[in-house]
Amino acid sequence: MRVALRYRRLAMAAPSPVVGLTGGIGSGKSTVAGILAALGAHVIDADKIGHEVYRPGTDGFRAVVDAFGPGVVAADGTIDRRALGAIVFGDAAARMRLNALVHPLIGVEIGRRIAAARPEGRPIVIEAALLLEAGWRPLIDRVWLVSVSRDTAIARVTASRALTREEVERRIDSQMPDAARRGLADLVIENDGSPAALRVRVEEAWRSLQAGRPGSGA
């Protein structure tokens, strides 16, 4: 509760709507975030903040190395995300330990960035795969979910990243199921179709946001 209140104090203070944009691996939420940025949103990428909170020399870096050992440090001295992922995506307890270390740090930084962006007066979008799991809901006004079928997600990720099908499936299984996300979302953006169809859906959602509506449908 104290953490949630701290998030709220950091983020509060203005009329700019704050959208939490979430979805599983391969859903296309980064594509949606890019469209929203082009339409005028101020986008905050939680994944990038996650990289920053355990960069070398930070408390987060020391905590991750203490928890998982020097094997997660790459030759350049940064955290080797592939090595860390191999540990946490195969071990639920390890994943929970990592999340407990870094999610509070990321949440506080997201709150700071929301507060800094408020004076711009633009809608603010927080792109975060683990938005709901991490407990960052107090930071935002509404949840938009980018949803895609499992097969489509696997095909997209194996085609674009150096991950095997098995690795992608482990990552999908480690995240909240879309059925559960849908129950918590104010708006669902379906993304099994073409890029053009996705853009139409995102533009419709943007118009609903500007009109002060949470949005509906897909």
Side-chain angles (χ1 to χ4, degrees):
M1 178 61 72
R2 285 194 297 272
V3 172
L5 289 173
R6 186 180 183 192
Y7 288 171
R8 177 58 71 186
R9 283 197 297 271
L10 285 166
M12 70 188 297
S16 304
V18 182
V19 172
L21 179 67
T22 193
I25 185 172
S27 64
K29 64 186 174 298
S30 293
T31 300
V32 172
I35 296 170
L36 291 170
L39 290 169
H42 181 108
V43 176
I44 298 170
D45 187 334
D47 189 49
K48 289 182 179 178
I49 294 174
H51 299 174
E52 294 171 13
V53 300
Y54 54 63
R55 66 184 183 274
T58 63
D59 290 341
F61 178 90
R62 287 185 286 273
V64 169
V65 176
D66 287 346
F68 299 101
V72 299
V73 181
D76 64 359
T78 63
I79 295 295
D80 185 332
R81 298 186 74 220
R82 184 73 180 265
L84 183 60
I87 295 171
V88 302
F89 289 113
D91 183 335
R95 188 166 61 252
M96 290 177 65
R97 187 160 69 251
L98 176 65
N99 290 344
L101 292 173
V102 301
H103 283 174
L105 299 174
I106 297 170
V108 169
E109 181 59 25
I110 290 172
R112 289 196 185 104
R113 296 191 188 192
I114 291 172
R118 291 283 197 189
E120 298 176 4
R122 295 189 284 157
I124 299 167
V125 174
I126 312 301
E127 180 192 347
L130 300 180
L131 175 82
L132 300 169
E133 299 95 318
W136 299 329
R137 184 62 179 85
L139 288 166
I140 64 174
D141 301 312
R142 63 200 74 184
V143 176
W144 287 5
L145 169 65
V146 185
S147 183
V148 70
S149 71
R150 183 184 182 94
D151 286 344
T152 300
I154 292 169
R156 286 177 180 167
V157 178
T158 54
S160 62
R161 304 191 200 178
L163 293 173
T164 66
R165 181 184 181 91
E166 182 182 38
E167 288 173 320
V168 176
E169 289 185 327
R170 281 203 302 268
R171 295 186 182 210
I172 291 173
D173 292 339
S174 75
Q175 296 179 342
M176 180 183 290
D178 256 15
R181 290 191 184 104
R182 284 173 179 271
L184 299 170
D186 298 293
L187 174 72
V188 179
I189 300 171
E190 305 288 358
N191 188 24
D192 277 298
S194 68
L198 177 64
R199 178 170 288 276
V200 169
R201 293 187 176 106
V202 176
E203 289 176 349
E204 181 182 338
W206 176 254
R207 287 192 295 271
S208 76
L209 182 66
Q210 291 185 307
R213 304 189 304 271
S216 61

